[in-house]
Amino acid sequence: MIWNKQAECMPAHELKSLQLERLRETVRLAGENVPHYKKQFADMKLKPSSITSLNDISKLPFTSKTDLRDGFPFGMFAVPQSDIVEIHTSSGTTGKPIVVGYTRSDIDLWGEVMARCLSMAGTTRDDIIQNGYGYGLFTGGLGVHYGAQKIGATVVPISAGNTKRQIEIMRDLGTTIITCTPSYALYLAESAEEEGLLPRKKIKLRAGCFGAEMWTEKMRDEIESRFKIMALNIYGLTELIGPGVANECEHKNGLHIFEDYFYPEVISPETLQTLPEGETGELVLTTLSRVGTPMIRFRTRDITSLHREPCKCGRTVVRMARITGRSDDMIKVRGVLIFPSQIERALLEIKDVEPQYQIVITRPHHLDELEVQVELSKKMFSDEIRHIEEFRRKIEDNIERTINLRVKVSLVEPKSLPRSEGKAKRVIDKREI
Amino acid sequence: MDKVRQVSVFSENKPGRIQKITGIFGEEGINILAISITSTNGFGIIKLLVDKCDLAYEKLKEHGFTVKLSEVLAIEMKDSPGGLHEVSQILSDKGINIENAYVYVVESRARAYLLVEVKDIEKAREILAGSNLNFFRHEDF
């Protein structure tokens, strides 16, 4: 089902001219009002008026997560705070989050793109959407919420977690559409099986949009066969808007990017040159109609490729391949972005702890588990086990405070973790996804 | 009252750790008289009463273990029913709290030592000086 045929099936030349018009407006808005871009454009002697074709986008500077962090809290805003109606944040590298702001029109835009995503899963006003993305500063929950409301579907804002209640709601309210992370979907399937709801009894689930973490075709097969539903891949990021940048249609042949609002490029993370269509590299996105926090050439660090061959669904917008990795050391655990450096900082804040650690990520029972192995230092050692245990708990608590995620801390013997001469291998990802 | 020291070793809770320690002791001719193991959340502390504690300390350190020497009270008791009761009765009468304890049997069915860790060992020693408890004698090694 296509929510907005005019936008999603627009002929290429029309789309290009709309994109150029909106790009020029975005560059003007950012150059005039966003302190970060104002300074950057001035340093580069770049005049917004010099953008006269879509190819000129390569003249524009990249924006990184660091730029957003440096602008904390309102340095990336293009309008006065009084025009902002909502704020979301996502984690940054040094504890300070990055902040994005939405004007009334940005919220409308968000609802529009999310309505397109949910429509791809066949959602209509007759559906009941169980929204298992977290509500709060995380964009997942409210993004889906706005899209569901735009369609007029019935949204159940259950948020993430509380598996038992999720299953009850699914059964008692007769949920037809579900939105959550793919790993949580599998976890729900397991619980539903235990409760005797699967294989399909007493549930009406038909489809779901799953995202906020990396997943695979194998996981899709499993979600689809266990729930007997259609499982679609959704993509988005806080810096751009949240979920709703792209979504798969029923042909599951890559994620359609809503190009009238987000301009995609794929670059080589080494040379920073734009790559030809079809080649794999880092996705770079520019917002075309965001007013609160316009984003120019944001480096997503996500690895993908773009494809323009016609899709059977009739949409003309470009498709991006499933994300296969990242071009930095950031890790995503249960939808939360984490830099190993954040964990290191949390460790070193505790007296007598030395920076000898390793992060091990596993996915037992479909949910990510993060273990931080820390070498015991001489000063931490005591012949009383409770003193050592206190250290362990203190480290756990401090990491949780820093990354907002409970992790397991294991103390290991001194010099037992592998040492390397170059860049230390801090992250061992054992997830089989 | 002879001073008795134990060797405490930090260890991850995984197969082969004790075996590594006993291997070192075997090579160096160090005899283990008593052992206690406590573990929690994937790690633990192994406490050992050995005949040559300084040598044990050095050798374990050489092999990369995190080790500590500390003093314990070694209180004699009968290795027969009621033996531990007698000792613990006196300790409780004197208001001494046991932080950790384990046992070294010298002569089976005859004589054993209760190895006791307390918060303030000097103070405990003073308090117990006048009691009718017997303490460790070096010839028992």
Side-chain angles (χ1 to χ4, degrees):
Chain A
M1 199 181 308
I2 299 177
W3 172 255
N4 187 338
K5 226 168 203 157
Q6 204 213 333
E8 296 172 72
C9 307
M10 198 181 280
H13 66 276
E14 261 179 61
L15 178 64
K16 279 190 174 161
S17 85
L18 178 70
Q19 284 178 316
L20 178 60
E21 184 192 317
R22 288 182 171 173
L23 175 66
R24 289 173 54 106
E25 174 55 19
T26 298
V27 173
R28 187 200 59 78
L29 178 77
E32 283 176 13
N33 301 308
V34 177
H36 168 75
Y37 290 123
K38 217 176 192 171
K39 182 175 180 303
Q40 210 169 23
F41 289 1
D43 290 350
M44 295 170 71
K45 298 199 167 50
L46 185 116
K47 284 206 184 75
S49 60
S50 69
I51 305 298
T52 56
S53 75
L54 283 174
N55 286 335
D56 286 341
I57 197 165
S58 58
K59 293 181 188 167
L60 296 169
F62 291 109
T63 306
S64 69
K65 216 172 164 68
T66 319
D67 295 323
L68 271 74
R69 186 199 69 209
D70 293 346
F72 181 86
F74 301 132
M76 297 303 285
F77 282 42
V79 295
Q81 182 257 308
S82 54
D83 288 343
I84 297 290
V85 298
E86 188 167 319
I87 271 174
H88 283 275
T89 72
S90 114
S91 54
T93 46
T94 64
K96 268 187 196 159
I98 63 110
V99 182
V100 292
Y102 302 71
T103 61
R104 182 78 62 198
S105 74
D106 289 335
I107 295 288
D108 269 353
L109 189 163
W110 199 7
E112 162 70 21
V113 289
M114 273 311 305
R116 294 181 193 177
C117 296
L118 294 168
S119 295
M120 286 173 171
T123 311
T124 69
R125 58 197 309 277
D126 298 325
D127 279 296
I128 295 178
I129 301 183
Q130 184 164 341
N131 185 12
Y133 286 115
Y135 279 69
L137 288 172
F138 176 60
T139 48
L142 282 166
V144 169
H145 193 93
Y146 295 142
Q149 304 247 298
K150 192 114 189 166
I151 292 174
T154 308
V155 58
V156 183
I158 188 163
S159 200
N162 204 341
T163 308
K164 198 169 179 300
R165 176 174 288 170
Q166 298 269 5
I167 299 294
E168 286 166 6
I169 292 265
M170 189 181 289
R171 182 193 57 210
D172 299 345
L173 301 188
T175 304
T176 51
I177 304 285
I178 186 154
T179 51
C180 62
T181 61
S183 52
Y184 193 63
L186 281 174
Y187 189 73
L188 280 177
E190 232 173 49
S191 308
E193 278 157 18
E194 279 166 23
E195 298 290 322
L197 270 61
L198 291 176
R200 280 192 82 102
K201 277 179 212 143
K202 301 176 222 148
I203 61 164
K204 296 180 177 161
L205 212 57
R206 209 176 64 229
C209 292
F210 305 102
E213 67 186 5
M214 236 190 297
W215 57 309
T216 57
E217 287 301 320
K218 199 174 154 280
M219 281 175 81
R220 187 212 305 271
D221 290 346
E222 214 175 312
I223 295 172
E224 292 195 330
S225 66
R226 288 171 89 166
F227 274 119
K228 300 271 180 292
I229 61 170
M230 175 170 72
L232 300 179
N233 194 356
I234 183 168
Y235 177 78
L237 57 169
T238 306
E239 291 83 353
L240 269 286
I241 196 152
V245 172
N247 201 93
E248 281 175 332
C249 68
E250 71 272 23
H251 299 288
K252 302 172 200 167
N253 186 23
L255 297 83
H256 289 282
I257 300 178
F258 303 120
E259 282 184 285
D260 50 335
Y261 291 130
F262 309 106
Y263 187 87
E265 299 168 82
V266 166
I267 63 161
S268 150
E270 283 86 36
T271 65
L272 304 183
Q273 294 302 307
T274 308
L275 296 174
E277 236 165 72
E279 281 189 29
T280 300
E282 180 185 326
L283 181 67
V284 170
L285 290 167
T286 300
T287 60
L288 294 177
S289 292
R290 285 275 271 126
V291 180
T293 38
M295 213 47 70
I296 291 171
R297 303 190 89 197
F298 182 76
R299 293 191 59 182
T300 66
R301 301 286 176 175
D302 288 323
I303 302 295
T304 184
S305 54
L306 297 175
H307 304 272
R308 279 199 188 276
E309 308 86 68
C311 183
K312 281 185 218 150
C313 70
R315 288 179 183 83
T316 52
V317 288
V318 76
R319 280 165 292 136
M320 59 182 264
R322 190 184 275 283
I323 305 289
T324 52
R326 289 189 60 85
S327 63
D328 60 13
D329 63 350
M330 192 147 49
I331 45 181
K332 210 164 188 186
V333 176
R334 288 190 229 163
V336 180
L337 289 170
I338 299 161
F339 277 101
S341 58
Q342 286 178 291
I343 292 183
E344 178 164 321
R345 196 169 43 84
L347 278 177
L348 295 181
E349 274 170 9
I350 295 163
K351 200 174 164 281
D352 296 337
V353 176
E354 284 166 21
Q356 295 299 345
Y357 67 96
Q358 197 164 56
I359 299 163
V360 182
I361 317 165
T362 52
R363 188 175 276 177
H365 314 300
H366 309 304
L367 277 189
D368 294 338
E369 295 277 349
L370 200 144
E371 179 189 0
V372 182
Q373 301 177 336
V374 183
E375 282 185 9
L376 183 96
S377 73
K378 278 210 174 63
K379 285 181 179 159
M380 282 163 76
F381 182 55
S382 149
D383 56 358
E384 281 190 54
I385 202 156
R386 62 194 160 92
H387 287 164
I388 304 180
E389 175 61 12
E390 240 165 62
F391 259 114
R392 203 192 61 78
R393 290 296 295 272
K394 230 195 240 174
I395 298 172
E396 266 185 4
D397 292 346
N398 210 40
I399 292 176
E400 185 179 7
R401 263 197 298 277
T402 309
I403 64 171
N404 293 317
L405 190 77
R406 190 73 187 166
V407 305
K408 179 183 166 203
V409 167
S410 301
L411 294 177
V412 300
E413 287 164 31
K415 303 207 168 51
S416 65
L417 294 177
R419 301 292 197 263
S420 75
E421 292 186 356
K423 204 167 145 56
K425 180 140 179 67
R426 295 295 193 194
V427 182
I428 311 286
D429 199 335
K430 291 184 180 166
R431 286 177 292 192
E432 281 173 19
I433 55 172
Chain B
M1 206 181 295
D2 288 342
K3 285 193 178 176
V4 178
R5 286 178 302 165
Q6 65 179 4
V7 183
S8 305
V9 191
F10 175 82
S11 172
E12 282 168 57
N13 192 346
K14 63 182 186 190
R17 300 314 287 157
I18 304 267
Q19 176 261 344
K20 179 107 192 276
I21 295 171
T22 50
I24 296 166
F25 285 5
E27 263 170 43
E28 301 296 333
I30 296 166
N31 193 21
I32 300 171
L33 306 173
I35 183 166
S36 121
I37 301 171
T38 331
S39 76
T40 177
N41 283 314
F43 69 92
I45 296 177
I46 303 164
K47 295 184 177 178
L48 300 138
L49 184 73
V50 297
D51 57 351
K52 299 166 195 156
C53 70
D54 288 313
L55 182 67
Y57 176 81
E58 285 310 320
K59 290 296 163 190
L60 287 173
K61 246 174 106 172
E62 266 173 36
H63 283 85
F65 281 96
T66 304
V67 205
K68 194 176 170 176
L69 279 176
S70 60
E71 209 188 313
V72 290
L73 291 172
I75 306 167
E76 193 182 294
M77 58 183 180
K78 285 189 221 111
D79 186 10
S80 59
L84 176 59
H85 179 70
E86 247 173 70
V87 173
S88 59
Q89 182 71 56
I90 294 172
L91 291 179
S92 99
D93 287 349
K94 304 270 182 192
I96 293 171
N97 189 45
I98 301 174
E99 299 292 327
N100 187 36
Y102 52 113
V103 170
Y104 163 36
V105 178
V106 186
E107 291 169 66
S108 195
R109 303 285 157 80
R111 195 158 53 91
Y113 286 112
L114 183 66
L115 305 162
V116 180
E117 288 177 42
V118 294
K119 271 232 170 72
D120 187 341
I121 195 146
E122 293 302 329
K123 200 171 151 211
R125 217 185 266 124
E126 265 172 44
I127 294 171
L128 294 175
S131 70
N132 44 11
L133 287 173
N134 290 323
F135 291 89
F136 176 79
R137 296 185 298 259
H138 262 297
E139 56 266 30
D140 283 335
F141 274 179

